[in-house]
């Protein structure tokens, strides 16, 4: 009888525990001085502090979490050189994510990453 009570308690605790996101990635955009915003992106379910989490998760799902395969969005960007480095660190479905890429400015960073770095 005690064993079944322990099993029932373990089941209740597991059901009450908050679910962890399948994907948790910290995204940042840093200028040459190292300044800039950072957000968190969680998928399955979409969330975190990313302002467009659902769209970003859909985009990453389409490329299986491979930031190097993100499509480019057609967008007019100013020809102002203000380089930013986009960084993604975390995990995608238990697979490590490490991405660093420098772009001429924030607009280009957003366009060339299908708006995943649009924050």
């Amino acid at each position: 009888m005690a064993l079944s009570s322990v099993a029932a308690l373990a089941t209740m605790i597991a059901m009450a525990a908050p679910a962890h996101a399948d994907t948790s990635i910290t995204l940042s955009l840093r200028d040459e001085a190292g300044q800039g915003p950072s957000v968190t992106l969680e998928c399955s379910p979409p969330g975190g502090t990313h302002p467009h989490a659902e769209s970003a998760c859909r985009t990453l799902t389409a490329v299986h979490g491979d930031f190097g395969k993100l499509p480019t969005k057609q967008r007019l960007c100013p020809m102002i050189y203000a380089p930013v480095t986009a960084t993604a660190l975390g995990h995608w479905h238990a697979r490590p994510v490490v991405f660093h890429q420098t772009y001429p400015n924030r607009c280009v960073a957003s366009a060339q990453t299908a708006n995943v770095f649009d924050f």
Side-chain angles (χ1 to χ4, degrees):
M1 185 74 162
L3 187 56
S4 64
S5 296
V6 171
L9 182 59
T11 301
M12 287 176 27
I13 291 171
M15 290 174 64
H20 293 286
D22 234 5
T23 296
S24 180
I25 302 170
T26 300
L27 304 170
S28 63
L29 282 171
R30 300 283 186 243
D31 62 19
E32 290 181 310
Q35 303 296 310
S38 291
V39 298
T40 57
L41 176 64
E42 296 176 354
C43 299
S44 300
T49 59
H50 195 293
H52 313 288
E54 286 187 36
S55 175
C57 288
R58 272 194 310 275
T59 300
L60 285 167
T61 297
V63 296
H64 307 287
D66 186 344
F67 280 76
K69 293 183 179 178
L70 288 170
T72 298
K73 294 279 186 177
Q74 294 301 314
R75 183 174 175 178
L76 293 176
C77 289
M79 294 182 63
I80 298 171
Y81 187 69
V84 294
T85 299
T87 303
L89 299 171
H91 65 274
W92 176 265
H93 299 291
R95 195 176 73 236
V97 171
V98 178
F99 173 81
H100 299 280
Q101 180 68 45
T102 300
Y103 299 95
N105 58 49
R106 286 183 66 159
C107 180
V108 175
S110 178
Q112 290 188 356
T113 61
N115 296 332
V116 169
F117 283 90
D118 185 19
F119 52 83

mmCIF file of all heavy atoms in Angstrom, residues 44-85:
data_model
loop_
_atom_site.group_PDB
_atom_site.id
_atom_site.type_symbol
_atom_site.label_atom_id
_atom_site.label_comp_id
_atom_site.label_asym_id
_atom_site.label_seq_id
_atom_site.Cartn_x
_atom_site.Cartn_y
_atom_site.Cartn_z
ATOM 1 N N SER A 44 7.845 25.608 -27.772
ATOM 2 C CA SER A 44 7.172 24.390 -27.262
ATOM 3 C C SER A 44 6.831 24.510 -25.798
ATOM 4 O O SER A 44 7.311 23.725 -25.002
ATOM 5 C CB SER A 44 8.023 23.147 -27.512
ATOM 6 O OG SER A 44 8.250 22.978 -28.878
ATOM 7 N N PRO A 45 6.054 25.470 -25.392
ATOM 8 C CA PRO A 45 5.317 26.475 -26.140
ATOM 9 C C PRO A 45 6.128 27.752 -26.318
ATOM 10 O O PRO A 45 7.087 27.991 -25.580
ATOM 11 C CB PRO A 45 4.104 26.746 -25.250
ATOM 12 C CG PRO A 45 4.638 26.563 -23.851
ATOM 13 C CD PRO A 45 5.651 25.439 -23.973
ATOM 14 N N PRO A 46 5.739 28.585 -27.307
ATOM 15 C CA PRO A 46 6.448 29.853 -27.527
ATOM 16 C C PRO A 46 6.319 30.776 -26.319
ATOM 17 O O PRO A 46 5.256 30.859 -25.708
ATOM 18 C CB PRO A 46 5.746 30.463 -28.739
ATOM 19 C CG PRO A 46 5.067 29.315 -29.414
ATOM 20 C CD PRO A 46 4.702 28.356 -28.305
ATOM 21 N N GLY A 47 7.420 31.443 -25.993
ATOM 22 C CA GLY A 47 7.399 32.365 -24.868
ATOM 23 C C GLY A 47 8.749 33.018 -24.685
ATOM 24 O O GLY A 47 9.546 33.099 -25.606
ATOM 25 N N GLY A 48 9.005 33.463 -23.477
ATOM 26 C CA GLY A 48 10.227 34.201 -23.176
ATOM 27 C C GLY A 48 9.973 35.685 -23.325
ATOM 28 O O GLY A 48 8.827 36.140 -23.384
ATOM 29 N N THR A 49 11.041 36.457 -23.415
ATOM 30 C CA THR A 49 10.908 37.911 -23.511
ATOM 31 C C THR A 49 10.975 38.414 -24.957
ATOM 32 O O THR A 49 10.880 39.612 -25.186
ATOM 33 C CB THR A 49 12.003 38.617 -22.678
ATOM 34 O OG1 THR A 49 13.296 38.223 -23.158
ATOM 35 C CG2 THR A 49 11.879 38.269 -21.202
ATOM 36 N N HIS A 50 11.131 37.527 -25.912
ATOM 37 C CA HIS A 50 11.163 37.918 -27.328
ATOM 38 C C HIS A 50 9.794 38.502 -27.692
ATOM 39 O O HIS A 50 8.764 37.869 -27.439
ATOM 40 C CB HIS A 50 11.474 36.710 -28.208
ATOM 41 C CG HIS A 50 11.866 37.046 -29.600
ATOM 42 N ND1 HIS A 50 10.990 37.606 -30.506
ATOM 43 C CD2 HIS A 50 13.046 36.908 -30.256
ATOM 44 C CE1 HIS A 50 11.598 37.795 -31.657
ATOM 45 N NE2 HIS A 50 12.855 37.377 -31.524
ATOM 46 N N PRO A 51 9.752 39.706 -28.293
ATOM 47 C CA PRO A 51 8.459 40.322 -28.593
ATOM 48 C C PRO A 51 7.648 39.605 -29.675
ATOM 49 O O PRO A 51 6.440 39.824 -29.789
ATOM 50 C CB PRO A 51 8.833 41.740 -29.038
ATOM 51 C CG PRO A 51 10.238 41.644 -29.500
ATOM 52 C CD PRO A 51 10.874 40.565 -28.659
ATOM 53 N N HIS A 52 8.283 38.758 -30.471
ATOM 54 C CA HIS A 52 7.594 38.030 -31.541
ATOM 55 C C HIS A 52 7.918 36.536 -31.419
ATOM 56 O O HIS A 52 8.327 35.900 -32.388
ATOM 57 C CB HIS A 52 8.018 38.559 -32.915
ATOM 58 C CG HIS A 52 8.003 40.049 -33.012
ATOM 59 N ND1 HIS A 52 6.849 40.789 -33.049
ATOM 60 C CD2 HIS A 52 9.020 40.946 -33.047
ATOM 61 C CE1 HIS A 52 7.145 42.072 -33.110
ATOM 62 N NE2 HIS A 52 8.459 42.195 -33.110
ATOM 63 N N ALA A 53 7.740 35.987 -30.228
ATOM 64 C CA ALA A 53 8.160 34.614 -29.939
ATOM 65 C C ALA A 53 7.503 33.586 -30.865
ATOM 66 O O ALA A 53 8.175 32.693 -31.368
ATOM 67 C CB ALA A 53 7.877 34.268 -28.480
ATOM 68 N N GLU A 54 6.211 33.714 -31.100
ATOM 69 C CA GLU A 54 5.531 32.720 -31.942
ATOM 70 C C GLU A 54 6.104 32.701 -33.354
ATOM 71 O O GLU A 54 6.389 31.635 -33.907
ATOM 72 C CB GLU A 54 4.029 32.985 -31.982
ATOM 73 C CG GLU A 54 3.338 32.594 -30.687
ATOM 74 C CD GLU A 54 1.833 32.706 -30.777
ATOM 75 O OE1 GLU A 54 1.277 32.415 -31.855
ATOM 76 O OE2 GLU A 54 1.228 33.074 -29.764
ATOM 77 N N SER A 55 6.295 33.869 -33.925
ATOM 78 C CA SER A 55 6.848 33.968 -35.281
ATOM 79 C C SER A 55 8.284 33.451 -35.323
ATOM 80 O O SER A 55 8.658 32.704 -36.236
ATOM 81 C CB SER A 55 6.787 35.418 -35.755
ATOM 82 O OG SER A 55 7.419 35.557 -36.995
ATOM 83 N N ALA A 56 9.090 33.822 -34.343
ATOM 84 C CA ALA A 56 10.484 33.375 -34.299
ATOM 85 C C ALA A 56 10.559 31.855 -34.152
ATOM 86 O O ALA A 56 11.384 31.205 -34.809
ATOM 87 C CB ALA A 56 11.231 34.063 -33.159
ATOM 88 N N CYS A 57 9.688 31.279 -33.332
ATOM 89 C CA CYS A 57 9.683 29.816 -33.160
ATOM 90 C C CYS A 57 9.265 29.121 -34.448
ATOM 91 O O CYS A 57 9.850 28.103 -34.824
ATOM 92 C CB CYS A 57 8.774 29.414 -32.006
ATOM 93 S SG CYS A 57 9.439 29.823 -30.380
ATOM 94 N N ARG A 58 8.253 29.660 -35.133
ATOM 95 C CA ARG A 58 7.839 29.073 -36.414
ATOM 96 C C ARG A 58 8.982 29.102 -37.418
ATOM 97 O O ARG A 58 9.239 28.120 -38.124
ATOM 98 C CB ARG A 58 6.637 29.825 -36.993
ATOM 99 C CG ARG A 58 5.305 29.330 -36.527
ATOM 100 C CD ARG A 58 4.159 29.867 -37.371
ATOM 101 N NE ARG A 58 4.176 31.305 -37.579
ATOM 102 C CZ ARG A 58 3.664 32.197 -36.749
ATOM 103 N NH1 ARG A 58 3.076 31.800 -35.631
ATOM 104 N NH2 ARG A 58 3.714 33.477 -37.017
ATOM 105 N N THR A 59 9.681 30.230 -37.485
ATOM 106 C CA THR A 59 10.795 30.373 -38.417
ATOM 107 C C THR A 59 11.903 29.385 -38.099
ATOM 108 O O THR A 59 12.433 28.715 -38.991
ATOM 109 C CB THR A 59 11.343 31.818 -38.386
ATOM 110 O OG1 THR A 59 10.276 32.708 -38.752
ATOM 111 C CG2 THR A 59 12.504 32.000 -39.319
ATOM 112 N N LEU A 60 12.255 29.259 -36.825
ATOM 113 C CA LEU A 60 13.309 28.325 -36.429
ATOM 114 C C LEU A 60 12.883 26.873 -36.629
ATOM 115 O O LEU A 60 13.700 26.030 -37.001
ATOM 116 C CB LEU A 60 13.720 28.565 -34.977
ATOM 117 C CG LEU A 60 14.586 29.805 -34.776
ATOM 118 C CD1 LEU A 60 14.691 30.158 -33.297
ATOM 119 C CD2 LEU A 60 15.958 29.590 -35.383
ATOM 120 N N THR A 61 11.613 26.583 -36.428
ATOM 121 C CA THR A 61 11.117 25.220 -36.664
ATOM 122 C C THR A 61 11.290 24.839 -38.127
ATOM 123 O O THR A 61 11.672 23.713 -38.444
ATOM 124 C CB THR A 61 9.639 25.098 -36.234
ATOM 125 O OG1 THR A 61 9.563 25.330 -34.823
ATOM 126 C CG2 THR A 61 9.070 23.727 -36.558
ATOM 127 N N ALA A 62 11.048 25.786 -39.023
ATOM 128 C CA ALA A 62 11.161 25.515 -40.463
ATOM 129 C C ALA A 62 12.588 25.148 -40.875
ATOM 130 O O ALA A 62 12.783 24.448 -41.865
ATOM 131 C CB ALA A 62 10.683 26.723 -41.264
ATOM 132 N N VAL A 63 13.590 25.617 -40.105
ATOM 133 C CA VAL A 63 14.995 25.312 -40.436
ATOM 134 C C VAL A 63 15.616 24.375 -39.390
ATOM 135 O O VAL A 63 16.831 24.265 -39.297
ATOM 136 C CB VAL A 63 15.845 26.601 -40.594
ATOM 137 C CG1 VAL A 63 15.344 27.430 -41.760
ATOM 138 C CG2 VAL A 63 15.895 27.415 -39.312
ATOM 139 N N HIS A 64 14.748 23.731 -38.608
ATOM 140 C CA HIS A 64 15.186 22.759 -37.592
ATOM 141 C C HIS A 64 16.179 23.365 -36.602
ATOM 142 O O HIS A 64 17.129 22.705 -36.187
ATOM 143 C CB HIS A 64 15.749 21.503 -38.248
ATOM 144 C CG HIS A 64 14.818 20.898 -39.246
ATOM 145 N ND1 HIS A 64 13.678 20.223 -38.887
ATOM 146 C CD2 HIS A 64 14.847 20.906 -40.597
ATOM 147 C CE1 HIS A 64 13.043 19.833 -39.970
ATOM 148 N NE2 HIS A 64 13.720 20.232 -41.029
ATOM 149 N N GLY A 65 15.978 24.650 -36.271
ATOM 150 C CA GLY A 65 16.814 25.316 -35.284
ATOM 151 C C GLY A 65 18.195 25.698 -35.762
ATOM 152 O O GLY A 65 19.032 26.117 -34.970
ATOM 153 N N ASP A 66 18.443 25.585 -37.064
ATOM 154 C CA ASP A 66 19.761 25.911 -37.629
ATOM 155 C C ASP A 66 19.793 27.379 -38.050
ATOM 156 O O ASP A 66 19.293 27.754 -39.102
ATOM 157 C CB ASP A 66 20.048 25.008 -38.823
ATOM 158 C CG ASP A 66 21.454 25.170 -39.373
ATOM 159 O OD1 ASP A 66 22.123 26.177 -39.044
ATOM 160 O OD2 ASP A 66 21.891 24.278 -40.130
ATOM 161 N N PHE A 67 20.394 28.220 -37.213
ATOM 162 C CA PHE A 67 20.443 29.652 -37.476
ATOM 163 C C PHE A 67 21.155 29.973 -38.791
ATOM 164 O O PHE A 67 20.852 30.969 -39.432
ATOM 165 C CB PHE A 67 21.117 30.399 -36.315
ATOM 166 C CG PHE A 67 20.196 30.635 -35.153
ATOM 167 C CD1 PHE A 67 19.876 29.610 -34.286
ATOM 168 C CD2 PHE A 67 19.649 31.880 -34.930
ATOM 169 C CE1 PHE A 67 19.019 29.819 -33.215
ATOM 170 C CE2 PHE A 67 18.790 32.110 -33.863
ATOM 171 C CZ PHE A 67 18.473 31.060 -33.007
ATOM 172 N N GLY A 68 22.081 29.143 -39.190
ATOM 173 C CA GLY A 68 22.800 29.349 -40.443
ATOM 174 C C GLY A 68 21.932 29.161 -41.670
ATOM 175 O O GLY A 68 22.306 29.564 -42.773
ATOM 176 N N LYS A 69 20.765 28.559 -41.500
ATOM 177 C CA LYS A 69 19.858 28.312 -42.627
ATOM 178 C C LYS A 69 18.635 29.228 -42.627
ATOM 179 O O LYS A 69 17.702 29.018 -43.389
ATOM 180 C CB LYS A 69 19.402 26.853 -42.620
ATOM 181 C CG LYS A 69 20.529 25.892 -42.918
ATOM 182 C CD LYS A 69 20.030 24.474 -42.975
ATOM 183 C CE LYS A 69 21.189 23.529 -43.309
ATOM 184 N NZ LYS A 69 20.752 22.133 -43.315
ATOM 185 N N LEU A 70 18.648 30.247 -41.764
ATOM 186 C CA LEU A 70 17.511 31.167 -41.737
ATOM 187 C C LEU A 70 17.400 31.894 -43.072
ATOM 188 O O LEU A 70 18.400 32.383 -43.606
ATOM 189 C CB LEU A 70 17.666 32.182 -40.605
ATOM 190 C CG LEU A 70 17.474 31.629 -39.198
ATOM 191 C CD1 LEU A 70 17.894 32.653 -38.161
ATOM 192 C CD2 LEU A 70 16.027 31.210 -38.987
ATOM 193 N N PRO A 71 16.199 31.986 -43.627
ATOM 194 C CA PRO A 71 16.034 32.679 -44.908
ATOM 195 C C PRO A 71 16.130 34.191 -44.728
ATOM 196 O O PRO A 71 15.935 34.715 -43.634
ATOM 197 C CB PRO A 71 14.627 32.273 -45.352
ATOM 198 C CG PRO A 71 13.907 31.994 -44.073
ATOM 199 C CD PRO A 71 14.948 31.433 -43.136
ATOM 200 N N THR A 72 16.421 34.876 -45.806
ATOM 201 C CA THR A 72 16.485 36.337 -45.810
ATOM 202 C C THR A 72 15.111 36.894 -46.165
ATOM 203 O O THR A 72 14.471 36.422 -47.091
ATOM 204 C CB THR A 72 17.530 36.832 -46.826
ATOM 205 O OG1 THR A 72 18.804 36.338 -46.414
ATOM 206 C CG2 THR A 72 17.581 38.339 -46.895
ATOM 207 N N LYS A 73 14.662 37.890 -45.417
ATOM 208 C CA LYS A 73 13.421 38.598 -45.731
ATOM 209 C C LYS A 73 13.777 39.794 -46.607
ATOM 210 O O LYS A 73 14.734 40.510 -46.329
ATOM 211 C CB LYS A 73 12.744 39.107 -44.450
ATOM 212 C CG LYS A 73 12.256 38.031 -43.530
ATOM 213 C CD LYS A 73 10.934 37.516 -43.989
ATOM 214 C CE LYS A 73 10.395 36.531 -42.971
ATOM 215 N NZ LYS A 73 9.093 36.044 -43.314
ATOM 216 N N GLN A 74 13.023 39.973 -47.673
ATOM 217 C CA GLN A 74 13.245 41.131 -48.536
ATOM 218 C C GLN A 74 12.814 42.383 -47.771
ATOM 219 O O GLN A 74 11.678 42.487 -47.311
ATOM 220 C CB GLN A 74 12.452 40.991 -49.837
ATOM 221 C CG GLN A 74 12.932 39.855 -50.704
ATOM 222 C CD GLN A 74 14.398 40.008 -51.094
ATOM 223 O OE1 GLN A 74 14.843 41.082 -51.501
ATOM 224 N NE2 GLN A 74 15.161 38.942 -50.939
ATOM 225 N N ARG A 75 13.751 43.294 -47.607
ATOM 226 C CA ARG A 75 13.500 44.478 -46.798
ATOM 227 C C ARG A 75 14.478 45.564 -47.211
ATOM 228 O O ARG A 75 15.656 45.281 -47.452
ATOM 229 C CB ARG A 75 13.695 44.085 -45.341
ATOM 230 C CG ARG A 75 13.427 45.120 -44.343
ATOM 231 C CD ARG A 75 13.532 44.476 -42.974
ATOM 232 N NE ARG A 75 13.394 45.449 -41.938
ATOM 233 C CZ ARG A 75 13.412 45.159 -40.655
ATOM 234 N NH1 ARG A 75 13.560 43.908 -40.274
ATOM 235 N NH2 ARG A 75 13.277 46.085 -39.758
ATOM 236 N N LEU A 76 14.015 46.792 -47.307
ATOM 237 C CA LEU A 76 14.909 47.911 -47.591
ATOM 238 C C LEU A 76 15.548 48.354 -46.284
ATOM 239 O O LEU A 76 14.852 48.643 -45.315
ATOM 240 C CB LEU A 76 14.133 49.072 -48.214
ATOM 241 C CG LEU A 76 13.575 48.820 -49.609
ATOM 242 C CD1 LEU A 76 12.738 50.014 -50.058
ATOM 243 C CD2 LEU A 76 14.703 48.565 -50.589
ATOM 244 N N CYS A 77 16.867 48.373 -46.259
ATOM 245 C CA CYS A 77 17.601 48.792 -45.067
ATOM 246 C C CYS A 77 18.480 49.985 -45.422
ATOM 247 O O CYS A 77 19.009 50.067 -46.544
ATOM 248 C CB CYS A 77 18.477 47.647 -44.547
ATOM 249 S SG CYS A 77 17.547 46.296 -43.810
ATOM 250 N N PRO A 78 18.674 50.904 -44.485
ATOM 251 C CA PRO A 78 19.554 52.043 -44.749
ATOM 252 C C PRO A 78 20.998 51.582 -44.938
ATOM 253 O O PRO A 78 21.424 50.586 -44.361
ATOM 254 C CB PRO A 78 19.421 52.916 -43.505
ATOM 255 C CG PRO A 78 18.949 51.995 -42.438
ATOM 256 C CD PRO A 78 18.158 50.919 -43.128
ATOM 257 N N MET A 79 21.708 52.302 -45.752
ATOM 258 C CA MET A 79 23.116 51.967 -45.999
ATOM 259 C C MET A 79 23.998 52.705 -44.988
ATOM 260 O O MET A 79 24.931 53.415 -45.355
ATOM 261 C CB MET A 79 23.488 52.297 -47.442
ATOM 262 C CG MET A 79 22.756 51.416 -48.438
ATOM 263 S SD MET A 79 23.194 51.737 -50.151
ATOM 264 C CE MET A 79 24.926 51.303 -50.153
ATOM 265 N N ILE A 80 23.680 52.527 -43.744
ATOM 266 C CA ILE A 80 24.445 53.132 -42.650
ATOM 267 C C ILE A 80 25.237 52.016 -41.983
ATOM 268 O O ILE A 80 24.674 51.009 -41.549
ATOM 269 C CB ILE A 80 23.519 53.808 -41.627
ATOM 270 C CG1 ILE A 80 22.746 54.939 -42.307
ATOM 271 C CG2 ILE A 80 24.301 54.289 -40.418
ATOM 272 C CD1 ILE A 80 21.661 55.535 -41.453
ATOM 273 N N TYR A 81 26.548 52.207 -41.916
ATOM 274 C CA TYR A 81 27.399 51.190 -41.303
ATOM 275 C C TYR A 81 27.435 51.405 -39.792
ATOM 276 O O TYR A 81 28.023 52.365 -39.285
ATOM 277 C CB TYR A 81 28.807 51.224 -41.896
ATOM 278 C CG TYR A 81 29.673 50.087 -41.411
ATOM 279 C CD1 TYR A 81 29.412 48.783 -41.808
ATOM 280 C CD2 TYR A 81 30.737 50.313 -40.540
ATOM 281 C CE1 TYR A 81 30.188 47.728 -41.365
ATOM 282 C CE2 TYR A 81 31.529 49.259 -40.100
ATOM 283 C CZ TYR A 81 31.237 47.980 -40.516
ATOM 284 O OH TYR A 81 32.013 46.933 -40.072
ATOM 285 N N ALA A 82 26.733 50.547 -39.086
ATOM 286 C CA ALA A 82 26.684 50.547 -37.625
ATOM 287 C C ALA A 82 26.639 49.074 -37.218
ATOM 288 O O ALA A 82 25.592 48.547 -36.857
ATOM 289 C CB ALA A 82 25.460 51.298 -37.122
ATOM 290 N N PRO A 83 27.774 48.374 -37.332
ATOM 291 C CA PRO A 83 27.781 46.914 -37.179
ATOM 292 C C PRO A 83 27.247 46.424 -35.841
ATOM 293 O O PRO A 83 27.458 47.044 -34.797
ATOM 294 C CB PRO A 83 29.247 46.540 -37.357
ATOM 295 C CG PRO A 83 30.008 47.785 -37.150
ATOM 296 C CD PRO A 83 29.107 48.925 -37.464
ATOM 297 N N VAL A 84 26.538 45.306 -35.935
ATOM 298 C CA VAL A 84 26.022 44.611 -34.751
ATOM 299 C C VAL A 84 26.362 43.137 -34.896
ATOM 300 O O VAL A 84 26.415 42.602 -36.001
ATOM 301 C CB VAL A 84 24.506 44.779 -34.565
ATOM 302 C CG1 VAL A 84 24.142 46.217 -34.255
ATOM 303 C CG2 VAL A 84 23.737 44.266 -35.762
ATOM 304 N N THR A 85 26.613 42.511 -33.769
ATOM 305 C CA THR A 85 26.840 41.064 -33.754
ATOM 306 C C THR A 85 25.625 40.402 -33.132
ATOM 307 O O THR A 85 25.240 40.720 -32.005
ATOM 308 C CB THR A 85 28.114 40.711 -32.968
ATOM 309 O OG1 THR A 85 29.222 41.339 -33.608
ATOM 310 C CG2 THR A 85 28.336 39.206 -32.930
#
